Amino acid sequence: MRYNRESKRKKRTYRMIRYLAISVVLVLLLCASDLLIAAFTEEDVSTSSVNSLGILGTCVNMFMFSSPLAEFREVLRSRSTKGISPIFTCASFLCAILWFSLGVEMGDPYIVVSNAVGLLMSSMQLLLFARFGCPKNEIDKKVITVSPHTPFAA
């Protein structure tokens, strides 16, 4: 059984490394395309850079918001949300609401789109907590016993 847990952990680690490598390649491709667009068009370099940074920021923000959903299948299978942090989920939801509101107020499509996706992803996570409940703390599972030799025992 221990071997099975370790192999699952290794597979998960390799999967995370693959996702990270794919993300780095996508960022490099985006930067290279920005340079090519600026070099072969008459578009101002600063405008092209702002657009590329906006797209890059949107992609990174969406990855950040959707990262806890990597546990989505496990949560549905085990019917337990112990793999997802409720504090992080609530913070992500509040952050997305605030930034989405600011993006709408400013009229910035990069902020609006990335945080609309963040609202959707955080809402899905909150729905998982509504369906399966919050996980119990490890402290709640431990039984505290008091022996007569324990100082301050009643």
Side-chain angles (χ1 to χ4, degrees):
M1 183 156 163
R2 183 175 185 168
Y3 173 76
N4 192 17
R5 261 189 262 146
E6 288 176 8
S7 67
K8 284 184 181 180
R9 188 175 297 137
K10 284 182 182 179
K11 285 180 183 179
R12 183 177 289 167
T13 302
Y14 290 138
R15 187 176 20 194
M16 296 289 280
I17 290 171
R18 274 195 311 248
Y19 290 150
L20 181 63
I22 290 170
S23 300
V24 168
V25 167
L26 289 174
V27 167
L28 291 175
L29 287 174
L30 184 66
C31 292
S33 67
D34 180 38
L35 291 173
L36 288 173
I37 289 171
F40 293 111
T41 63
E42 294 183 19
E43 185 177 345
D44 186 23
V45 176
S46 63
T47 304
S48 176
S49 297
V50 167
N51 288 336
S52 294
L53 283 175
I55 292 169
L56 178 64
T58 299
C59 292
V60 169
N61 202 15
M62 287 191 288
F63 280 133
M64 190 266 314
F65 278 120
S66 63
S67 63
L69 291 179
E71 295 289 325
F72 191 78
R73 186 185 317 165
E74 180 64 26
V75 168
L76 292 177
R77 187 187 64 74
S78 68
R79 304 179 70 78
S80 170
T81 57
K82 69 179 180 180
I84 302 174
S85 168
I87 295 171
F88 179 77
T89 302
C90 290
S92 295
F93 184 75
L94 291 174
C95 180
I97 286 174
L98 294 172
W99 277 104
F100 179 79
S101 302
L102 179 70
V104 169
E105 184 69 30
M106 291 175 50
D108 189 334
Y110 299 117
I111 295 175
V112 170
V113 170
S114 65
N115 287 289
V117 171
L119 273 172
L120 178 68
M121 298 296 175
S122 298
S123 298
M124 289 175 62
Q125 294 167 42
L126 288 173
L127 287 174
L128 289 175
F129 284 112
R131 175 75 172 106
F132 300 117
C134 287
K136 301 264 188 214
N137 290 337
E138 292 298 319
I139 296 172
D140 293 342
K141 294 179 183 177
K142 294 181 181 176
V143 177
I144 299 173
T145 58
V146 178
S147 70
H149 303 292
T150 304
F152 307 108

